[in-house]
């Protein structure tokens, strides 16, 4: 590793694919613009751009080298401007290996190296190396994983704590993920872009055809479309979390998952800032939760509310056993949570329902025949406000704080005193009159930014108790 090494030659193909993806609209624009002048000009433009991308991809590969020297990973790269990057071993937080379909064809892996200050992208990314080279790099940069004892062997020899998702639970994860809403939004956005290319007479023909089908047929078609999107959402979640396995290896949490893109994610325990579980509106009635963690640094693995997923789905009653096995220090206590006072309820109702109420008033005045739509939204908003009030609570045990809150999903988080970076107590004039206060707790989150938790309209005595607990820094 002390001598400069290049990535696998297949990197040229990876670079070319990424460049074509980034410049796809430029290809389309050049072709569409020139095809009206002469088809040969359009073809020539595409050929020139293609050759340019091929040459750039080759030079990028040729100019990229890496090596481990002393206590640093040294990278040199750049086509026009030569850049050098030095990453100290002490700054490296995790080394993740991933494989997409192309990587698996060439029997390669992508190595992503993250530090505490990593942004949206990894601090360093080696796009394609052999698996042996990837493991050697892990051995050089991280003492907890060595070439002689890869993760697979450690699991068999040491019988380390491991939890794997079942096929039944995997299907259930997709069915209750709520991804159909995201797919509907994406489909709507895509349709709005395609509208410009659809001839006007197409709408008239489509309308006539739909009316001729009848209401029952149209309803069945709409139901079929929604069902198709739902099944597509299930497939997407299954591909992402296929064979999801989490294990504790010494001072790391190691996660493997993925079918088309296989991932091996390493999370040092020292980077974990908080652990908890999320109950979305679909899963909560059935008693299922997603276990999550807040990780300091730049982990790109996002799940519920952009947190790192420790396990996609399990029964709420199984969380205690799961954490006892892998993260016993974050196991929730059985103590009763302290709820909000009854006088807090009105604030939650106002926040949740004020905008739907205003919209309802406007619609009643301008379009009374459609008033039932905002009326339904208003009722649902009131119910959400009630749930947000009932679900907000906290409990302190020694140097550990458990808080529970709800935006749309119900979230329960366990935080240690030493992980909380800032504590804020807020009161406006109405709060002061009713002896209420809102608290905000801040920890280090992704990309080195803060992650904030709020418990609103606590009794001021409870807020002061938490302030005193936080101020005592000996815990």
């Amino acid at each position: 590793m002390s001598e400069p090494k290049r990535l696998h030659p297949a990197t040229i193909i990876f670079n070319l694919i990424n460049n074509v993806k980034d410049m796809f609209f430029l290809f389309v624009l050049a072709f569409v613009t020139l095809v009206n002048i002469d088809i040969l000009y359009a073809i020539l433009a595409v050929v020139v751009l293609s050759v340019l991308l091929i040459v750039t991809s080759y030079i990028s590969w040729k100019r990229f080298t890496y090596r481990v020297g002393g206590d640093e990973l040294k990278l040199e790269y750049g086509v026009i401007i030569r850049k050098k990057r030095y990453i100290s071993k002490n700054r490296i937080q995790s080394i993740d290996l991933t494989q997409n379909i192309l990587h698996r064809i060439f029997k390669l892996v992508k190595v992503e190296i993250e530090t505490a200050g990593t942004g949206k992208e990894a601090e360093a990314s080696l796009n394609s190396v052999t698996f042996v080279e990837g493991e050697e790099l892990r051995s050089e940069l991280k003492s907890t994983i060595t070439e002689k004892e890869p993760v697979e062997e450690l699991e068999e020899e040491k019988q380390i704590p491991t939890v794997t998702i079942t096929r039944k639970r995997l299907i259930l994860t997709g069915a209750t993920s709520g991804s159909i809403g995201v797919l509907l939004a994406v489909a709507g956005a895509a349709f709005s872009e395609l509208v410009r290319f659809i001839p006007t007479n197409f709408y008239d023909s489509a309308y006539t055809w739909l009316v001729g089908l009848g209401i029952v047929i149209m309803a069945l078609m709409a139901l079929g479309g929604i069902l198709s999107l739902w099944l597509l959402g299930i497939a997407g979640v299954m591909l992402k979390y296929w064979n999801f396995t989490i294990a504790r290896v010494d001072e790391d949490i190691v996660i493997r998952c993925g079918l088309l893109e296989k991932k091996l994610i390493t999370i040092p325990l020292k980077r974990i800032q908080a652990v908890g579980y999320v109950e979305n509106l679909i899963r909560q009635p059935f008693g299922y939760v997603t276990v999550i963690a807040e990780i300091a640094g730049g982990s790109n693995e996002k799940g519920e509310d952009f947190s790192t997923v420790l396990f996609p789905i399990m029964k709420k009653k199984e969380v205690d056993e799961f954490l006892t096995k892998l993260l016993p220090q974050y196991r929730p206590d059985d103590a009763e949570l302290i709820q909000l006072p009854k006088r807090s309820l009105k604030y939650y109702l106002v926040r949740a329902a004020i905008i739907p109420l205003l919209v309802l008033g406007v619609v009643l005045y301008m379009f009374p025949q459609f008033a039932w739509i905002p009326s339904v939204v208003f009722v649902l908003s009131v119910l959400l406000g009630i749930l947000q009030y009932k679900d907000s609570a906290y409990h302190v045990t020694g140097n550990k704080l458990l808080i529970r809150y709800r935006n749309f999903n119900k979230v329960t988080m366990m935080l240690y005193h030493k992980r909380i970076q800032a504590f804020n107590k807020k009161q406006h004039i109405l709060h002061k009159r009713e002896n209420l206060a809102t608290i905000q707790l801040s920890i280090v989150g992704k990309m080195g930014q803060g992650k904030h938790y709020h418990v609103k309209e606590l009794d001021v005595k409870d807020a002061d108790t938490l302030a005193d607990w936080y101020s005592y820094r000996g815990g």
Side-chain angles (χ1 to χ4, degrees):
M1 282 289 177
S2 59
E3 296 297 323
K5 300 185 66 174
R6 287 194 176 91
L7 303 177
H8 192 276
T11 305
I12 300 171
I13 299 175
F14 289 95
N15 290 341
L16 180 60
I17 293 173
N18 288 331
N19 290 335
V20 169
K21 182 177 64 176
D22 294 338
M23 300 184 66
F24 177 76
F25 285 104
L26 180 60
F27 274 86
V28 174
L29 180 62
F31 186 83
V32 171
T33 302
L34 296 175
V35 74
N36 294 326
I37 302 174
D38 193 319
I39 185 67
L40 292 178
Y41 289 148
I43 295 174
L44 181 61
V46 171
V47 170
V48 170
L49 285 173
S50 300
V51 171
L52 181 62
L53 292 184
I54 292 172
V55 172
T56 303
S57 301
Y58 172 79
I59 296 176
S60 297
W61 167 75
K62 191 75 173 178
R63 300 272 287 175
F64 189 105
T65 61
Y66 70 95
R67 66 187 178 95
V68 178
D71 291 330
E72 292 180 322
L73 171 65
K74 302 178 180 180
L75 307 175
E76 295 189 22
Y77 57 96
V79 177
I80 299 176
I81 301 175
R82 192 68 171 165
K83 299 179 181 179
K84 296 183 179 181
R85 177 178 289 182
Y86 302 92
I87 303 174
S88 171
K89 290 182 180 180
N90 296 326
R91 290 184 58 229
I92 294 175
Q93 299 288 344
S94 67
I95 305 169
D96 300 336
L97 306 182
T98 62
Q99 282 184 308
N100 60 28
I101 295 178
L102 286 176
H103 283 115
R104 291 161 69 182
I105 291 174
F106 292 102
K107 297 181 179 180
L108 303 171
V109 296
K110 179 179 181 179
V111 182
E112 292 186 309
I113 299 167
E114 296 181 350
T115 65
T118 300
K120 292 183 179 180
E121 301 294 333
E123 181 77 13
S125 181
L126 307 183
N127 203 22
S128 52
V129 298
T130 64
F131 187 82
V132 172
E133 289 174 332
E135 283 296 330
E136 287 178 352
L137 192 60
R138 285 167 64 91
S139 301
E140 287 282 339
L141 299 177
K142 191 169 180 57
S143 59
T144 56
I145 301 177
T146 64
E147 183 180 0
K148 294 181 180 180
E149 291 183 315
V151 175
E152 288 81 358
E153 294 178 6
L154 282 170
E155 288 184 355
E156 294 177 3
E157 295 173 8
K158 293 187 176 182
Q159 296 182 348
I160 59 177
T162 304
V163 183
T164 303
I165 195 168
T166 63
R167 295 289 183 269
K168 181 180 177 181
R169 288 283 176 90
L170 188 60
I171 295 172
L172 188 61
T173 302
T176 60
S177 65
S179 57
I180 185 173
V182 178
L183 291 174
L184 285 171
V186 172
F191 179 76
S192 65
E193 292 296 322
L194 292 173
V195 164
R196 296 177 295 174
F197 304 99
I198 299 176
T200 306
N201 60 348
F202 174 81
Y203 293 104
D204 297 331
S205 301
Y207 178 77
T208 303
W209 177 70
L210 285 172
V211 170
L213 290 176
I215 296 177
V216 176
I217 300 298
M218 286 192 291
L220 290 175
M221 288 178 62
L223 184 62
I226 293 174
L227 180 61
S228 298
L229 289 175
W230 182 57
L231 293 174
L232 186 62
I234 293 176
V237 172
M238 291 184 67
L239 291 176
K240 180 180 180 181
Y241 292 124
W242 186 262
N243 281 341
F244 187 99
T245 302
I246 181 171
R248 178 164 176 170
V249 182
D250 295 329
E251 295 302 311
D252 293 326
I253 293 294
V254 179
I255 297 174
R256 290 190 205 83
C257 62
L259 182 59
L260 297 182
E261 183 180 20
K262 291 186 176 181
K263 294 185 177 183
L264 175 62
I265 302 164
T266 305
I267 304 171
L269 294 181
K270 63 183 179 181
R271 287 179 62 198
I272 298 177
Q273 305 298 301
V275 173
Y277 52 90
V278 179
E279 304 169 70
N280 69 24
L281 293 172
I282 301 174
R283 293 173 182 163
Q284 186 178 350
F286 303 99
Y288 286 100
V289 303
T290 298
V291 184
I292 63 171
E294 292 299 333
I295 310 298
S299 176
N300 296 319
E301 191 62 17
K302 298 177 180 178
E304 298 285 342
D305 298 325
F306 298 98
S307 301
T308 298
V309 173
L310 294 184
F311 208 80
I313 194 169
M314 65 174 54
K315 281 286 190 178
K316 185 177 179 180
K317 61 186 180 182
E318 298 171 352
V319 173
D320 188 272
E321 180 183 354
F322 173 81
L323 292 178
T324 300
K325 194 173 185 179
L326 296 170
L327 294 164
Q329 65 271 38
Y330 284 99
R331 185 175 64 86
D333 299 308
D334 297 327
E336 185 176 351
L337 298 180
I338 298 175
Q339 305 283 337
L340 301 182
K342 292 182 179 179
R343 59 186 184 278
S344 303
L345 175 59
K346 55 181 173 290
Y347 292 97
Y348 283 83
L349 292 177
V350 169
R351 272 194 300 267
I354 184 64
I355 293 179
L357 182 60
L358 293 174
V359 172
L360 175 59
V362 172
V363 174
L364 276 172
Y365 180 74
M366 300 183 66
F367 310 102
Q369 66 274 26
F370 298 111
W372 64 273
I373 299 176
S375 297
V376 172
V377 175
F378 172 72
V379 172
L380 293 176
S381 300
V382 170
L383 293 176
L384 178 62
I386 295 173
L387 287 176
Q388 290 175 336
Y389 162 75
K390 294 182 67 175
D391 291 333
S392 297
Y394 81 94
H395 177 74
V396 174
T397 303
N399 61 351
K400 186 167 67 175
L401 170 65
L402 185 149
I403 61 171
R404 193 177 69 195
Y405 64 94
R406 177 190 291 274
N407 293 320
F408 287 100
N409 299 331
K410 183 179 176 182
V411 182
T412 302
M413 297 298 297
M414 282 75 74
L415 305 89
Y416 271 90
H417 187 276
K418 63 182 179 180
R419 298 297 190 187
I420 301 173
Q421 303 296 313
F423 178 98
N424 289 319
K425 171 186 168 185
K426 303 177 183 179
Q427 280 184 300
H428 54 65
I429 188 169
L430 295 179
H431 281 168
K432 291 180 179 178
R433 289 180 180 177
E434 299 192 73
N435 290 323
L436 297 174
T438 292
I439 64 165
Q440 175 184 289
L441 304 167
S442 302
I443 61 174
V444 178
K446 291 184 183 298
M447 297 175 282
Q449 299 177 353
K451 173 78 175 183
H452 309 293
Y453 298 103
H454 298 85
V455 181
K456 299 178 179 179
E457 282 77 44
L458 276 168
D459 189 292
V460 72
K461 292 182 180 179
D462 293 329
D464 288 339
T465 298
L466 287 174
D468 292 340
W469 172 81
Y470 176 75
S471 298
Y472 177 64
R473 304 303 288 178

